[in-house]
């Protein structure tokens, strides 16, 4: 025999079971508060970057006839636009090879992989004792199959990109790149952000110095073997540009990107949002309690689209 249940009947059921619903929701609220208090605070240090002089402005290469583009290509010189330097910086910062470079610095790998808390009174990072012994500076965990001790740069890269590094690049504002570092230690977040920027510029400087020297060697050889005056003038322009690159790379620390506002030591936590966690947990408990009451009463019924329930 079919029996239809009206929406009003369901609301009466919920009102009848209101004490259970309130207690159940309150229980979930307490669990949410406990969980949010268990989570350690994290602190975000951020900075805004823009392109350095290396990447901006006109170049004497603009005056080189297009027919000599192949010569520049052979010398390893790019005649194209400098647009996209900030995208290049973003890709470098998030790359595995760059993380391998970063973890070569003392304490960076333990701070990325093994940090579990922070002692403000002593200004010390607290490490997971099952992973890292801070007194002996040794990794103490037994690696799982396929893993390494100490952790590999691949493991560090996963944590770095998913939990530590924050990148914000707005396609509508291509002249600026915002990056940040979130960590349990406010001091380390600031230090690590400075290290990222410094190593980004240093890595680019080293590569461009090497490339410029190779290009100059090639161009000097071509200049010696070329008799055509127009071609020799074009080669001289290419040489001039490479010498400019060598000069900038040798004297400028902010070679690829320039910092607009310096990295800072954050004073206010960035996460977790304990209020939001509590609200979500309470609503989750409220929803589960309603669902439980409904299913317990009408387990053998199905709901019509018009709100009726049929056995």
């Amino acid at each position: 025999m079919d029996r239809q249940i009206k929406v009003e009947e369901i609301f009466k059921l919920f009102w009848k079971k209101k004490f259970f619903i309130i207690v159940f929701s309150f229980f979930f609220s307490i669990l949410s508060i406990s969980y949010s208090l268990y989570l350690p605070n994290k602190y975000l240090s951020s900075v805004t970057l823009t392109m350095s002089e290396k990447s901006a402005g006109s170049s004497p290469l603009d005056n080189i006839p297009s027919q000599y583009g192949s010569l520049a290509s052979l010398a390893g010189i790019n005649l194209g636009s400098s647009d996209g330097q900030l995208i290049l910086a973003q890709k470098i910062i998030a790359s595995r090879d760059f993380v391998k470079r970063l973890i070569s610095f003392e304490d960076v790998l333990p701070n990325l992989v093994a940090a579990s808390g922070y002692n403000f009174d002593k200004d010390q990072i607290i490490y997971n004792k099952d992973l890292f012994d801070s007194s002996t500076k040794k990794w103490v965990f037994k690696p799982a199959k396929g893993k390494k001790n100490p952790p590999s740069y691949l493991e560090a890269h996963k944590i770095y990109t998913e939990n530590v590094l924050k990148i914000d690049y707005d396609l509508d504002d291509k002249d600026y790149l915002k990056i940040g570092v979130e960590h349990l230690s406010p001091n380390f977040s600031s230090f690590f952000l400075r290290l990222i920027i410094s190593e980004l510029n240093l890595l680019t400087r080293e590569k461009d110095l090497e490339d410029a020297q190779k290009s100059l060697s090639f161009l000097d050889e071509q200049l010696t073997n070329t008799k055509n005056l127009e071609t020799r003038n074009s080669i001289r322009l290419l040489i001039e540009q490479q010498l400019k690159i060598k000069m900038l790379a040798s004297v400028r620390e902010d070679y690829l990107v320039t910092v607009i506002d310096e990295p800072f030591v954050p004073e206010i936590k960035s996460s977790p949002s304990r209020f939001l966690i509590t609200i979500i947990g309470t609503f989750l408990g409220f929803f589960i309690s309603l669902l439980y009451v409904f299913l317990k009463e009408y387990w053998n019924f199905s709901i019509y689209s018009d709100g009726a329930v049929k056995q």
Side-chain angles (χ1 to χ4, degrees), residues 88-311:
L88 171 63
Q90 177 182 343
K91 297 299 183 182
I92 293 175
I93 289 172
S95 68
R96 289 185 291 269
D97 285 342
F98 190 69
V99 171
K100 184 189 294 186
R101 185 183 180 103
L102 293 176
I103 63 175
S104 65
F105 289 84
E106 185 179 4
D107 293 335
V108 169
L109 182 60
N111 290 345
L112 286 179
V113 178
S116 61
Y118 182 71
N119 187 323
F120 274 90
D121 295 332
K122 297 181 179 180
D123 188 21
Q124 290 180 347
I125 295 175
I126 301 171
Y127 299 99
N128 185 337
K129 295 181 179 180
D130 295 331
L131 296 177
F132 184 75
D133 187 344
S134 58
S135 60
T136 61
K137 300 287 185 178
K138 292 183 178 180
W139 295 90
V140 296
F141 72 98
K142 182 179 180 181
K145 186 177 181 180
K147 300 294 184 179
K148 294 181 179 180
N149 185 348
S152 69
Y153 75 96
L154 296 176
E155 294 181 68
H157 177 264
K158 179 178 176 62
I159 296 173
Y160 169 80
T161 53
E162 293 181 358
N163 302 327
V164 176
L165 180 66
K166 312 295 179 184
I167 297 181
D168 181 15
Y169 181 66
D170 190 351
L171 292 176
D172 295 329
D173 193 6
K174 297 181 179 180
D175 293 333
Y176 301 99
L177 172 67
K178 294 181 180 179
I179 66 170
V181 167
E182 188 175 50
H183 195 265
L184 301 174
S185 166
N187 288 321
F188 179 75
S189 65
S190 176
F191 160 79
F192 195 47
L193 183 55
R194 292 177 185 275
L195 180 64
I196 289 172
I197 298 169
S198 173
E199 289 302 301
L200 170 65
N201 281 318
L202 180 58
L203 176 65
T204 312
R205 287 170 61 196
E206 291 173 347
K207 184 180 184 303
D208 281 4
L209 276 171
E210 181 181 355
D211 291 345
Q213 186 57 51
K214 291 179 180 178
S215 298
L216 284 171
S217 298
F218 174 81
L219 292 171
D220 285 339
E221 181 181 350
Q222 296 300 310
L223 186 62
T224 302
N225 299 329
T226 300
K227 304 301 181 182
N228 183 277
L229 181 60
E230 184 179 358
T231 303
R232 290 175 64 87
N233 289 335
S234 298
I235 292 175
R236 289 191 180 98
L237 286 175
L238 292 171
I239 291 175
E240 177 185 344
Q241 179 65 9
Q242 295 309 297
L243 289 174
K244 178 183 177 182
I245 290 175
K246 287 193 66 175
M247 178 192 70
L248 291 176
S250 298
V251 302
R252 293 200 59 161
E253 293 185 0
D254 55 342
Y255 178 65
L256 178 65
V257 293
T258 298
V259 176
I260 293 180
D261 53 346
E262 291 292 328
F264 59 93
V265 178
E267 298 178 350
I268 301 175
K269 70 177 180 68
S270 55
S271 66
S273 176
R274 294 184 171 87
F275 177 76
L276 181 61
I277 292 174
T278 302
I279 293 298
I280 292 176
T282 302
F283 272 99
L284 180 63
F286 178 72
F287 174 78
I288 292 176
S289 64
L290 294 181
L291 184 63
Y292 173 80
V293 169
F294 178 82
L295 292 178
K296 185 178 180 181
E297 184 73 17
Y298 304 116
W299 178 258
N300 295 323
F301 290 83
S302 59
I303 303 177
Y304 282 137
S305 60
D306 60 359
V309 179
K310 181 179 179 181
Q311 189 175 18

Side-chain angles (χ1 to χ4, degrees), residues 70-89:
S70 58
L71 177 62
S73 299
L74 288 173
I77 301 171
N78 180 18
L79 294 180
S81 171
S82 62
D83 293 345
Q85 290 295 316
L86 289 180
I87 296 179
L88 171 63

Side-chain angles (χ1 to χ4, degrees), residues 36-84:
S36 67
L37 292 175
Y38 170 78
L39 296 174
N41 291 338
K42 290 186 177 182
Y43 297 85
L44 177 68
S45 181
S46 60
V47 70
T48 302
L49 305 174
T50 189
M51 291 185 298
S52 297
E53 179 185 341
K54 163 191 180 299
S55 307
S58 60
S59 166
L61 295 183
D62 296 337
N63 300 320
I64 296 179
S66 59
Q67 62 263 35
Y68 299 115
S70 58
L71 177 62
S73 299
L74 288 173
I77 301 171
N78 180 18
L79 294 180
S81 171
S82 62
D83 293 345

